[in-house]
Amino acid sequence: MTATTTAESAESSVTPESLLGAADRRSDAAVMAWLLRVRRADLRLPWVRRWAVPLLCVLFGVPALTDAADGLKPGLPAMVALTVAFCLPLLWRDKQPILVFALTSVASAVTLALDASTGSEAARVAALLNVGRASRPVQLAVCMGVGVAQTTVSTLIHDDGQTVGLQTLVVGVIQALLVAAVAAAGVVMRVVNAYIRALQERALTLEIERDQRARLAAAAERSRVAREMHDILGHTLAVIVGLANGAAGLTTSKPERGAQTLRIIADSGRGALAELRRLLAVIGDDDKAAEDTPLAPQPGFDDLRPLVERVHAAGPAVILHTKGHLTGLPPSLQLTVYRVVQEALTNTLKHAAPRTSVDIRLTADDTAVDLTVQDTGPSLARPGNADGRGLVGMRERAALYGGHITAGPNDYGGWTVHARFLITNSSALTENRPV
């Protein structure tokens, strides 16, 4: 793909409305749309403008060539040479604007010396216009000076040697102003093109930033879903494994207790399945699936005791102590605390002995919520580092509330998880955050 095709494809995705950013500026949008169409046509067919301008200047010189063919001085060969000298350099005016203007100026000086007149001198206008479009201000000023000087000399020469009068002076001033207007038009074209390019780059940058924000939001959502599924599945499977081990030994000695344990396993599995269905329905786009899914409220402080009872049924002795006003906290903060407790108990089920005891202390005041989950061990397969996915997820949850989490072995041979969540105005901002 060429650079021209790339620029054209980039500009085709930008509309005048997106560039101007206002729906009520219809006249400005119409002008901008016309400019964009011209620019895109020029990018698509660059040879049209390159050849059209020289050919137009040749057409302007046809009457002078006809007169020269009829015998007027300086003759047909000289007029053809002058026409070629004016028009041919215009083919390279975009790449060498100063050189092309110099060549047309030399051709104009020769024309004045031969006292000839050819319509192809319009090439000087095209050359000066292109200098204004592509050259530096100093170069443009020099070319304007050359153009004004040649125009003034031409006015004086064609005055037939008469004394310079007011009329001649007025004509000279007007022609000088026309030269300046041509140069100014070139500058305006440069500014307009630069402005359009800047607007296009800005629009494309905004589109890229919008796509990046969408990708970041999608990545954050995937991370959130992965964290939720890790918490739900990890805890539930750990409870089920613990209960299943106990039920296996009770099926012969205590059938009723074994059946009760199996029912707890079934309830835990159904609860986890319902949570997963609700989570997937929230992030999915299947309306029917969302309607068929029972929408239960997110877990909070009221669900801590049922959680403790399920874990206790799996083996560990769990005690929950609460202190402070817990009911008025945001539901999102309650969910975060619930998930941290769930993950800590899951780790106890995975890595501690079956008969370990767990002490959970939850305290809340006006500024923070403190949580401590401590088991007595002994530790069977506790990892020696803190790089597990569960701990990372807990730290991410705590960071949402400006808090922190620490985890490590304790003096009882077990493991302690301590978390602190700050209660600030930002907590209310997470109220509408999907969880």
Side-chain angles (χ1 to χ4, degrees):
M1 180 180 292
T2 62
T4 301
T5 307
T6 304
E8 182 183 352
S9 61
E11 291 182 358
S12 61
S13 62
V14 181
T15 62
E17 290 76 12
S18 64
L19 290 177
L20 295 175
D24 56 343
R25 298 169 61 181
R26 296 182 179 178
S27 59
D28 295 340
V31 174
M32 184 67 73
W34 180 79
L35 291 175
L36 286 176
R37 284 196 297 269
V38 172
R39 181 174 175 80
R40 288 166 184 167
D42 186 32
L43 290 173
R44 186 168 56 252
L45 302 170
W47 59 270
V48 173
R49 180 172 59 87
R50 183 186 179 190
W51 287 92
V53 174
L55 291 177
L56 184 62
C57 293
V58 171
L59 290 178
F60 288 157
V62 168
L65 292 174
T66 303
D67 294 339
D70 293 336
L72 293 181
K73 291 183 179 182
L76 183 60
M79 292 300 296
V80 171
L82 290 174
T83 302
V84 172
F86 274 120
C87 300
L88 186 61
L90 293 180
L91 294 174
W92 296 274
R93 64 189 183 279
D94 290 332
K95 296 181 179 180
Q96 299 290 338
I98 302 298
L99 178 60
V100 170
F101 179 79
L103 293 176
T104 56
S105 297
V106 171
S108 178
V110 174
T111 302
L112 290 176
L114 295 176
D115 194 17
S117 178
T118 171
S120 297
E121 291 184 359
R124 293 178 57 215
V125 176
L128 183 60
L129 182 68
N130 215 62
V131 170
R133 289 182 54 193
S135 300
R136 295 192 299 269
V138 175
Q139 295 173 326
L140 178 60
V142 172
C143 292
M144 283 180 58
V146 173
V148 171
Q150 286 189 331
T151 302
T152 303
V153 172
S154 176
T155 303
L156 295 176
I157 290 177
H158 289 90
D159 196 43
D160 296 331
Q162 299 177 0
T163 304
V164 178
L166 181 60
Q167 182 178 357
T168 303
L169 184 60
V170 171
V171 172
V173 171
I174 292 176
Q175 290 183 345
L177 291 176
L178 289 176
V179 171
V182 170
V187 175
V188 170
M189 292 175 64
R190 176 199 294 187
V191 172
V192 169
N193 289 333
Y195 184 64
I196 292 177
R197 285 195 299 269
L199 288 177
Q200 289 170 339
E201 292 174 359
R202 178 175 178 271
L204 293 175
T205 301
L206 291 177
E207 290 181 1
I208 293 173
E209 291 178 353
R210 180 197 61 195
D211 294 340
Q212 289 177 342
R213 286 195 297 269
R215 286 193 292 269
L216 290 175
E221 182 68 8
R222 287 193 295 268
S223 176
R224 181 190 67 81
V225 172
R227 186 170 59 243
E228 291 291 321
M229 295 182 69
H230 169 270
D231 292 342
I232 295 171
L233 292 177
H235 171 75
T236 303
L237 291 177
V239 171
I240 289 176
V241 169
L243 290 173
N245 289 332
L250 294 173
T251 52
T252 56
S253 61
K254 297 180 180 179
E256 295 182 358
R257 182 69 180 277
Q260 180 182 2
T261 303
L262 292 176
R263 283 192 292 271
I264 295 175
I265 291 175
D267 291 339
S268 298
R270 281 193 294 270
L273 182 60
E275 279 199 77
L276 288 177
R277 290 182 62 195
R278 177 196 52 76
L279 179 63
L280 295 177
V282 169
I283 65 173
D285 56 359
D286 190 346
D287 295 337
K288 185 177 184 301
E291 293 175 359
D292 295 341
T293 302
L295 296 179
Q298 290 282 15
F301 290 157
D302 294 337
D303 300 284
L304 287 176
R305 294 199 180 278
L307 173 65
V308 167
E309 293 174 0
R310 289 197 301 271
V311 175
H312 179 70
V318 186
I319 302 176
L320 174 64
H321 303 277
T322 60
K323 181 180 179 181
H325 301 286
L326 303 176
T327 57
L329 296 178
S332 55
L333 177 57
Q334 295 188 36
L335 173 64
T336 299
V337 174
Y338 178 90
R339 293 300 188 203
V340 172
V341 174
Q342 186 182 57
E343 178 64 26
L345 293 177
T346 300
N347 290 334
T348 297
L349 289 172
K350 289 180 180 179
H351 306 296
R355 295 303 175 183
T356 187
S357 61
V358 184
D359 183 69
I360 303 174
R361 297 186 178 275
L362 181 61
T363 305
D365 54 28
D366 295 336
T367 60
V369 174
D370 288 291
L371 171 67
T372 302
V373 181
Q374 177 178 274
D375 65 64
T376 58
S379 178
L380 299 180
R382 188 83 65 174
N385 55 55
D387 295 332
R389 182 182 181 90
L391 184 56
V392 172
M394 288 192 292
R395 285 174 174 167
E396 290 178 355
R397 292 180 183 276
L400 293 176
Y401 294 91
H404 63 275
I405 285 183
T406 57
N410 55 37
D411 297 335
Y412 304 101
W415 200 262
T416 299
V417 175
H418 177 73
R420 182 176 179 84
F421 310 90
L422 300 181
I423 302 176
T424 62
N425 293 333
S426 62
S427 300
L429 298 177
T430 62
E431 197 68 26
N432 297 325
R433 181 180 180 271
V435 288

